[in-house]
Amino acid sequence: MGQGGKDDAPASTASATAIDAREAQQQRILAAAMACFARSGFHKASMQDICAEAGMSAGNLYRYFRSKEAIIAAIAEAERVRNAALFDLLQRAEDPVRGLIELARCYLRDMQGRDAPMLCTEIIAEALRNPEIRTMFERNINEAHAACAHALRQGIAQGYVDPGLDVDVAVRMLMALGDGIVAHRVIADFMTDDRTEAVLEVMLERFLRPHAASTVVLADTLSSQPAAAPLPTSA
Amino acid sequence: MGQGGKDDAPASTASATAIDAREAQQQRILAAAMACFARSGFHKASMQDICAEAGMSAGNLYRYFRSKEAIIAAIAEAERVRNAALFDLLQRAEDPVRGLIELARCYLRDMQGRDAPMLCTEIIAEALRNPEIRTMFERNINEAHAACAHALRQGIAQGYVDPGLDVDVAVRMLMALGDGIVAHRVIADFMTDDRTEAVLEVMLERFLRPHAASTVVLADTLSSQPAAAPLPTSA
DNA sequence: CAGATGAGAGTGAACGTTCATTCACTTACA
DNA sequence: TGTAAGTGAATGAACGTTCACTCTCATCTG
């Protein structure tokens, strides 16, 4: 796990393995904490629970994390790094709508176990009130927002995306949709991967693609009369 | 507690006002608890906090609620009742798409203070892990789901809604969207009411209305080639 | 009408438990 | 032999809940 690159010097082997061992222990603690937090929530899960799950004494655990909050922060940071990889995927897509659909697919597949969705929802809830977590969460969100908004604006310039779109609000709404789906899938067992992905694809295609009528015109038309009453199956 | 209807006998005035007083106290506790839970979360907010917020001693508070969990359950129930009113609104709309848009508008306006969004998000997070809360939450969700799904199916029969729609998944996705927006609005200050409502309207209209190409055909088309490449601004 | 009665409203200290965190200590190893 | 890894009992604070108690007041009794 030596994520750095300066390993050409001699005598660095011992310290490098020591650092590796330390990081491995931190990962072990983080994994245990994620399981406990998913099971019981940040505040109901105790440090003793985490110690038991990690197979480690309390005193030793505190050698790796200063406090319970530090563990939560580390989890939020890990989440950020994991998500950042998804947005590289978006950057590489030529058509941002297809890129977003693929992004959503990967995200939903990532968030599939018992723990991940609960943890994700718990992080959001905690971020809304705990200023330290919120700062971190906002950083994640802003990175994601910037990546999506940039892709959509590029897509508008290239004709892939509806130019009448309120990009910032639309992006944030799609992120809200993703988080909401992650939570709701836990209790809605009929929301299988294939069905969810299929509906999501239709939704994004229709929502984001250019339309004949612009937003304003649409609103005018619809507030006066129903739009699609007389056509059952025709084009 | 004879909250039933056998009050035609005389001397019921005293007991009636006693019950009213009791309910008023329960409401006072619930309001205090909602404020504390929104501020600190279910598990970090202490009963002492709630007592202080309600201006009441601990011993007295326990005369009105058996436990902390009972308070949480009562809050979830109040939420359910409040939401049920919204779905009556949907039932009355002739065009279910417009009905859903109006429903979303009302919901987002309801969830506007500092407390309501945080409480809503906290309830969802807690529901995913606490079986008692989850049972309640699932009842709310299922009622909402049934109302929306029924409206959409009726809309399909009348030509308002795309017949190719996977109604159940679509409904649950819209609910997920609503919950997600409620949470994200707390940290995204640019998501003002008018901008959010405008984008939401466009999204629902485009997503739900009948389209020339059905879902299956759309999927085939898109997986082979990008759909909207050659048109920059034309109709 | 004076005063006794008792039930419900309300109090706040105390209970046992659990919490996050610490520390004096032992073990392993280079 | 010295340093880092690891232990687990101890600590004081805070938790949800209880309990013995007082206060209030409508009703009943003589």
Side-chain angles (χ1 to χ4, degrees), chain B residues 150-224:
Chain B
H150 178 258
L152 279 190
R153 283 189 233 275
Q154 236 173 3
I156 288 175
Q158 295 170 350
Y160 287 114
V161 175
D162 181 7
L165 209 66
D166 184 340
V167 171
D168 285 318
V169 172
V171 161
R172 202 56 70 105
M173 230 144 90
L174 294 180
M175 294 163 73
L177 176 62
D179 290 335
I181 289 175
V182 165
H184 275 262
R185 273 203 309 180
V186 176
I187 53 176
D189 51 336
F190 61 85
M191 302 231 355
T192 54
D193 269 16
D194 47 351
R195 289 177 74 181
T196 305
E197 286 174 11
V199 174
L200 204 55
E201 172 168 345
V202 172
M203 188 183 214
L204 291 184
E205 281 288 349
R206 293 184 183 174
F207 175 45
L208 298 174
R209 289 298 182 200
H211 275 60
S214 93
T215 306
V216 180
V217 176
L218 241 183
D220 281 352
T221 308
L222 292 164
S223 58
S224 57

Side-chain angles (χ1 to χ4, degrees), chain B residues 102-120:
Chain B
E102 199 55 40
L103 169 70
R105 239 192 274 271
C106 290
Y107 182 65
L108 291 179
R109 283 188 187 153
D110 264 14
M111 293 286 175
Q112 229 170 7
R114 274 278 159 278
D115 293 355
M118 295 193 187
L119 197 58
C120 173

